[in-house]
Amino acid sequence: PPQGYYTRRGGIGDSGDFITSPEISQIFGELIGIWYISEWIATGKPKAFQLVELGPGRGTLTDDILRVFSQLASLLSKCDVSIHLVEVSPKLSEIQALMLTGGKVQSNPEDKSTYMKGISKTGIPIFWYRDIQDVPSGYSFYLAHEFFDALPIHKFQRTEKGWREVLVDIDPEVPDQLRFVLSPSSTPATENFIQPEETRDHVEVCPEAGVIIQRLACRIEKDGGAVLVADYGHDGTKTDTFRGFQNHKLHDVLRAPGTADLTADVDFSYLRKMIQGRTATLGPIKQREFLKNMGIDLRLQVLLQNSCDAATHEQLLHSYDMLMNPKKMGDCFNFFALLPHHRLVHPDKKHKPESKSPLPPVAGFGELLLK
């Protein structure tokens, strides 16, 4: 824990080890802000909502979302909005505090759950926690952008003798180097984490992601709201995706541990299984489809019309290409949502199918139709 990558540095951004969508373009966070407001309206404008972000990075995404909330302040005027950030890295929480409050925060040693609190530049209260369990219950919107891919995985290989776990060992030839080995026999993880119907020969399982998605599903089932997950991943088709990044280049995961960002693709089919039908799920759909459905093209036109200099134009088009191009981020990132069942199906639809007005569609997951 004291030598971990995020505890020591967490290098997001141009000068770091990897870059994320909110760092590339403000439009990304704005559209996510719109998604939450759209869900809030669709569920009858509850009097209060919490926006809870898991692993908020530098706070860029929350900052963009807060800008949307303040631009739509008249719409949200009767709603009590609060921001709750789940962050384990002391370094990153300082950066977030600076970005979101201008550094005006109080640490909270007497409160076990909230370790820091402050007020955003737009006057919205912000609280910091180390664990999702510490976030108060209530109608909430949860956001996990590039969060699940950073959680540790177990790796398994199918062999003639059955499943074996891939473990890390010291290389006997080179004592200060690590190597991968197969477990000599089955391990508790091979017994517990592989689905009986598995057809792949190599599987990565992230049990911690399973636990967290179950906690989120229970909260949505009980208190309402929505979960939006944006991450690179697959629907149970990929095998070996574990990799490291340093200075924006691929890095051997076993070399110099704690100095590079380690990541593995999120298996959305596993998340869906772990939810066990507690909530409805939508997706995964590709980032470029989701952003197109959210109206990214219209937003780009507006920003292009409002910017007069060539450099800004160039930057806007370049960042749009990064987000949308199938060869860049457009196809490898996916959006996945959890919603209460009644958000998609009327509770009494079975008995009186004709009586209810249709439910509003969920933004982003269907085509955008402009009247």
Side-chain angles (χ1 to χ4, degrees):
Q3 295 303 314
Y5 176 75
Y6 283 102
T7 316
R8 283 168 52 176
R9 46 199 286 231
I12 307 170
D14 285 337
S15 59
D17 296 308
F18 60 98
I19 191 151
T20 62
S21 299
E23 307 285 331
I24 290 168
S25 171
Q26 67 178 71
I27 306 181
F28 185 83
E30 289 172 347
L31 295 177
I32 287 178
I34 298 287
W35 191 84
Y36 288 121
I37 288 188
S38 156
E39 272 311 294
W40 174 72
I41 294 171
T43 50
K45 301 186 184 172
K47 289 191 174 52
F49 72 76
Q50 306 187 134
L51 175 66
V52 184
E53 187 175 2
L54 311 183
R58 289 153 55 127
T60 314
L61 190 47
T62 295
D63 197 45
D64 289 337
I65 293 171
L66 282 171
R67 191 173 58 255
V68 170
F69 289 179
S70 89
Q71 282 164 347
L72 299 175
S74 57
L75 188 62
L76 289 165
S77 62
K78 293 188 175 65
C79 183
D80 185 7
V81 180
S82 56
I83 304 292
H84 303 261
L85 305 176
V86 180
E87 179 57 77
V88 293
S89 163
K91 189 84 181 267
L92 287 172
S93 61
E94 276 172 40
I95 296 173
Q96 293 152 14
L98 204 58
M99 168 153 307
L100 298 170
T101 71
K104 292 192 263 304
V105 287
Q106 310 154 270
S107 59
N108 220 13
E110 68 286 347
D111 184 348
K112 285 282 178 284
S113 56
T114 314
Y115 66 84
M116 195 163 76
K117 55 186 182 183
I119 303 273
S120 82
K121 295 169 194 161
T122 51
I124 290 177
I126 307 183
F127 305 88
W128 278 262
Y129 312 83
R130 289 192 179 85
D131 192 318
I132 187 154
Q133 313 247 75
D134 296 331
V135 176
S137 57
Y139 183 90
S140 302
F141 292 129
Y142 297 89
L143 175 56
H145 175 261
E146 286 202 48
F147 169 76
F148 285 109
D149 70 77
L151 300 176
I153 54 163
H154 286 269
K155 284 175 88 61
F156 305 100
Q157 180 69 44
R158 198 194 289 270
T159 71
E160 287 156 9
K161 299 185 185 127
W163 285 102
R164 293 291 180 262
E165 188 169 3
V166 178
L167 304 173
V168 177
D169 184 24
I170 288 171
D171 190 336
E173 315 280 301
V174 197
D176 60 347
Q177 274 185 27
L178 300 170
R179 61 170 185 166
F180 286 120
V181 293
L182 286 182
S183 61
S185 56
S186 146
T187 62
T190 45
E191 301 294 324
N192 289 301
F193 296 142
I194 293 172
Q195 309 288 334
E197 66 277 15
E198 186 55 70
T199 56
R200 289 169 285 178
D201 289 335
H202 188 99
V203 179
E204 295 168 336
V205 180
C206 179
E208 206 178 322
V211 170
I212 291 170
I213 206 82
Q214 281 178 350
R215 285 187 184 143
L216 293 174
C218 289
R219 283 176 167 235
I220 294 297
E221 185 182 33
K222 189 164 131 284
D223 302 320
V227 177
L228 191 61
V229 178
D231 223 317
Y232 36 85
H234 57 91
D235 217 6
T237 51
K238 285 191 179 176
T239 54
D240 176 16
T241 71
F242 183 41
R243 58 207 185 278
F245 284 98
Q246 201 176 53
N247 299 325
H248 304 271
K249 291 190 177 66
L250 280 170
H251 175 88
D252 176 357
V253 288
L254 297 181
R255 214 177 75 234
T259 63
D261 169 49
L262 301 182
T263 182
D265 281 18
V266 178
D267 184 343
F268 291 104
S269 70
Y270 173 74
L271 297 186
R272 206 181 296 108
K273 278 196 185 94
M274 292 299 114
I275 291 163
Q276 296 165 327
R278 286 195 179 98
T279 64
T281 61
L282 292 172
I285 69 165
K286 295 191 185 327
Q287 173 166 299
R288 69 188 157 89
E289 286 178 55
F290 179 85
L291 296 177
K292 208 170 204 46
N293 294 341
M294 286 303 298
I296 189 171
D297 295 336
L298 293 168
R299 182 68 184 130
L300 177 72
Q301 287 329 116
V302 171
L303 289 172
L304 287 171
Q305 281 158 16
N306 294 348
S307 74
C308 5
D309 66 300
T312 311
H313 255 243
E314 190 54 42
Q315 170 57 35
L316 284 166
L317 292 168
H318 170 72
S319 54
Y320 174 89
D321 181 59
M322 279 290 285
L323 294 177
M324 298 294 282
N325 188 326
K327 293 190 175 64
K328 294 176 183 170
M329 290 173 148
D331 271 5
C332 55
F333 277 83
N334 295 274
F335 278 77
F336 179 73
L338 275 60
L339 298 157
H341 288 293
H342 60 74
R343 172 65 184 89
L344 300 176
V345 183
H346 283 298
D348 53 357
K349 195 80 170 171
K350 288 200 233 12
H351 312 299
K352 295 179 288 190
E354 67 296 328
S355 64
K356 291 282 187 203
S357 55
L359 291 163
V362 178
F365 290 89
E367 219 171 306
L368 177 64
L369 300 169
L370 297 168
K371 294 201 173 72

